Amino acid sequence: IKGYDPKAHFSSDGFTQVSTLDEAVIGADVVCALIEWPEIIHYDFAHARTASKQQWFIDARNQFSSNELKEVGFSYLGVGHV
């Protein structure tokens, strides 16, 4: 498991905090957007998409366009949406 947060720094067994958003999301099986930092909200997640595999985008804050993420190939789950 890899994670990125521009402000918080932490570590745990089985978790690696990376220094860039690219490192955290490019080619990931699942992207979980949990915070609302501008560099995350304005990131071009199409850049992180790998066409040869299924990738999930879990939007915990419902801050992203489900249609845009689906258009680039993510399976999308907005927390609280059906």
Side-chain angles (χ1 to χ4, degrees):
I1 298 172
K2 295 187 285 187
Y4 170 77
D5 187 312
K7 305 293 182 196
H9 301 285
F10 48 89
S11 64
S12 179
D13 289 342
F15 174 81
T16 302
Q17 185 164 358
V18 295
S19 59
T20 69
L21 189 52
D22 279 344
E23 288 179 88
V25 300
I26 291 177
D29 294 329
V30 178
V31 174
C32 295
L34 305 172
I35 55 179
E36 298 173 341
W37 293 114
E39 52 266 68
I40 295 172
I41 293 172
H42 300 296
Y43 183 81
D44 180 7
F45 283 96
H47 178 67
R49 182 74 182 99
T50 301
S52 62
K53 68 178 186 177
Q54 182 179 15
Q55 290 173 284
W56 280 89
F57 192 100
I58 300 173
D59 184 359
R61 301 283 207 168
N62 294 306
Q63 60 194 349
F64 296 94
S65 167
S66 62
N67 290 335
E68 288 178 17
L69 289 164
K70 289 176 183 177
E71 283 177 14
V72 298
F74 282 100
S75 297
Y76 176 87
L77 175 65
V79 175
H81 287 208
V82 288

